[in-house]
PDB file of all heavy atoms in Angstrom:
ATOM      1  N   LEU A1467     -13.104  26.676  23.021  1.00 85.00           N
ATOM      2  CA  LEU A1467     -11.956  27.530  22.696  1.00 85.00           C
ATOM      3  C   LEU A1467     -12.343  28.993  22.564  1.00 85.00           C
ATOM      4  O   LEU A1467     -11.692  29.866  23.115  1.00 85.00           O
ATOM      5  CB  LEU A1467     -11.285  27.031  21.412  1.00 85.00           C
ATOM      6  CG  LEU A1467      -9.876  27.564  21.210  1.00 85.00           C
ATOM      7  CD1 LEU A1467      -8.956  27.076  22.307  1.00 85.00           C
ATOM      8  CD2 LEU A1467      -9.321  27.147  19.869  1.00 85.00           C
ATOM      9  N   MET A1471     -17.390  33.912  20.633  1.00 86.00           N
ATOM     10  CA  MET A1471     -17.518  34.197  19.198  1.00 86.00           C
ATOM     11  C   MET A1471     -18.885  33.762  18.710  1.00 86.00           C
ATOM     12  O   MET A1471     -19.481  32.834  19.248  1.00 86.00           O
ATOM     13  CB  MET A1471     -16.456  33.416  18.465  1.00 86.00           C
ATOM     14  CG  MET A1471     -15.456  34.267  17.769  1.00 86.00           C
ATOM     15  SD  MET A1471     -14.597  33.232  16.613  1.00 86.00           S
ATOM     16  CE  MET A1471     -12.963  33.602  17.017  1.00 86.00           C
ATOM     17  N   MET A1479     -14.678  31.437   9.486  1.00 92.00           N
ATOM     18  CA  MET A1479     -13.266  31.106   9.632  1.00 92.00           C
ATOM     19  C   MET A1479     -12.900  29.883   8.789  1.00 92.00           C
ATOM     20  O   MET A1479     -11.820  29.827   8.204  1.00 92.00           O
ATOM     21  CB  MET A1479     -13.010  30.826  11.103  1.00 92.00           C
ATOM     22  CG  MET A1479     -11.683  30.272  11.450  1.00 92.00           C
ATOM     23  SD  MET A1479     -11.465  30.412  13.213  1.00 92.00           S
ATOM     24  CE  MET A1479     -12.279  28.944  13.770  1.00 92.00           C
ATOM     25  N   ASN A1494      -2.088  17.325  -4.486  1.00 89.00           N
ATOM     26  CA  ASN A1494      -1.546  18.212  -3.471  1.00 89.00           C
ATOM     27  C   ASN A1494      -2.216  18.018  -2.121  1.00 89.00           C
ATOM     28  O   ASN A1494      -1.626  18.313  -1.085  1.00 89.00           O
ATOM     29  CB  ASN A1494      -1.678  19.662  -3.924  1.00 89.00           C
ATOM     30  CG  ASN A1494      -0.813  19.923  -5.132  1.00 89.00           C
ATOM     31  OD1 ASN A1494       0.127  19.180  -5.370  1.00 89.00           O
ATOM     32  ND2 ASN A1494      -1.130  20.951  -5.886  1.00 89.00           N
ATOM     33  N   GLU A1500       0.332  14.667   4.332  1.00 91.00           N
ATOM     34  CA  GLU A1500       1.614  14.157   4.811  1.00 91.00           C
ATOM     35  C   GLU A1500       2.353  15.219   5.634  1.00 91.00           C
ATOM     36  O   GLU A1500       2.843  14.942   6.724  1.00 91.00           O
ATOM     37  CB  GLU A1500       2.462  13.745   3.612  1.00 91.00           C
ATOM     38  CG  GLU A1500       3.703  13.019   3.996  1.00 91.00           C
ATOM     39  CD  GLU A1500       4.468  12.540   2.790  1.00 91.00           C
ATOM     40  OE1 GLU A1500       4.209  13.076   1.684  1.00 91.00           O
ATOM     41  OE2 GLU A1500       5.291  11.652   2.920  1.00 91.00           O
TER      42      GLU A1500
ATOM     43  N   THR B1774      -8.033  33.799  24.161  1.00 86.00           N
ATOM     44  CA  THR B1774      -8.047  32.699  25.122  1.00 86.00           C
ATOM     45  C   THR B1774      -6.852  32.768  26.055  1.00 86.00           C
ATOM     46  O   THR B1774      -5.878  32.047  25.883  1.00 86.00           O
ATOM     47  CB  THR B1774      -8.026  31.339  24.395  1.00 86.00           C
ATOM     48  OG1 THR B1774      -7.388  31.520  23.133  1.00 86.00           O
ATOM     49  CG2 THR B1774      -9.385  30.763  24.202  1.00 86.00           C
ATOM     50  N   TYR B1881      -5.757  37.233  10.144  1.00 93.00           N
ATOM     51  CA  TYR B1881      -6.682  36.119  10.318  1.00 93.00           C
ATOM     52  C   TYR B1881      -6.890  35.822  11.800  1.00 93.00           C
ATOM     53  O   TYR B1881      -7.999  35.563  12.247  1.00 93.00           O
ATOM     54  CB  TYR B1881      -6.113  34.887   9.594  1.00 93.00           C
ATOM     55  CG  TYR B1881      -7.179  33.982   9.025  1.00 93.00           C
ATOM     56  CD1 TYR B1881      -7.923  34.374   7.923  1.00 93.00           C
ATOM     57  CD2 TYR B1881      -7.436  32.743   9.598  1.00 93.00           C
ATOM     58  CE1 TYR B1881      -8.893  33.547   7.398  1.00 93.00           C
ATOM     59  CE2 TYR B1881      -8.409  31.912   9.078  1.00 93.00           C
ATOM     60  CZ  TYR B1881      -9.136  32.313   7.980  1.00 93.00           C
ATOM     61  OH  TYR B1881     -10.104  31.492   7.468  1.00 93.00           O
ATOM     62  N   PHE B1885     -10.273  35.866  14.030  1.00 91.00           N
ATOM     63  CA  PHE B1885     -10.834  34.572  14.436  1.00 91.00           C
ATOM     64  C   PHE B1885     -10.202  33.946  15.677  1.00 91.00           C
ATOM     65  O   PHE B1885     -10.612  32.871  16.092  1.00 91.00           O
ATOM     66  CB  PHE B1885     -10.712  33.570  13.282  1.00 91.00           C
ATOM     67  CG  PHE B1885     -11.437  33.997  12.042  1.00 91.00           C
ATOM     68  CD1 PHE B1885     -10.767  34.206  10.869  1.00 91.00           C
ATOM     69  CD2 PHE B1885     -12.808  34.179  12.067  1.00 91.00           C
ATOM     70  CE1 PHE B1885     -11.432  34.601   9.724  1.00 91.00           C
ATOM     71  CE2 PHE B1885     -13.483  34.566  10.930  1.00 91.00           C
ATOM     72  CZ  PHE B1885     -12.789  34.781   9.760  1.00 91.00           C
ATOM     73  N   ASN B1903       0.153  23.724  -2.950  1.00 90.00           N
ATOM     74  CA  ASN B1903      -0.520  23.811  -4.247  1.00 90.00           C
ATOM     75  C   ASN B1903       0.306  24.547  -5.295  1.00 90.00           C
ATOM     76  O   ASN B1903      -0.030  24.558  -6.471  1.00 90.00           O
ATOM     77  CB  ASN B1903      -1.867  24.513  -4.068  1.00 90.00           C
ATOM     78  CG  ASN B1903      -2.854  24.045  -5.088  1.00 90.00           C
ATOM     79  OD1 ASN B1903      -2.731  22.953  -5.634  1.00 90.00           O
ATOM     80  ND2 ASN B1903      -3.841  24.867  -5.375  1.00 90.00           N
ATOM     81  N   TRP B1916      10.561  11.104   1.196  1.00 75.00           N
ATOM     82  CA  TRP B1916      11.126  10.104   2.114  1.00 75.00           C
ATOM     83  C   TRP B1916      12.214   9.310   1.436  1.00 75.00           C
ATOM     84  O   TRP B1916      13.194   8.929   2.028  1.00 75.00           O
ATOM     85  CB  TRP B1916      10.039   9.163   2.625  1.00 75.00           C
ATOM     86  CG  TRP B1916       9.022   9.867   3.398  1.00 75.00           C
ATOM     87  CD1 TRP B1916       7.703  10.042   3.079  1.00 75.00           C
ATOM     88  CD2 TRP B1916       9.187  10.550   4.653  1.00 75.00           C
ATOM     89  NE1 TRP B1916       7.051  10.765   4.039  1.00 75.00           N
ATOM     90  CE2 TRP B1916       7.942  11.090   5.010  1.00 75.00           C
ATOM     91  CE3 TRP B1916      10.277  10.758   5.491  1.00 75.00           C
ATOM     92  CZ2 TRP B1916       7.753  11.813   6.175  1.00 75.00           C
ATOM     93  CZ3 TRP B1916      10.081  11.487   6.651  1.00 75.00           C
ATOM     94  CH2 TRP B1916       8.841  12.005   6.978  1.00 75.00           C
TER      95      TRP B1916
END
Side-chain angles (χ1 to χ4, degrees):
Chain A
L1467 197 64
M1471 244 196 231
M1479 171 166 85
N1494 294 339
E1500 189 176 18
Chain B
T1774 27
Y1881 212 71
F1885 300 119
N1903 209 23
W1916 297 114

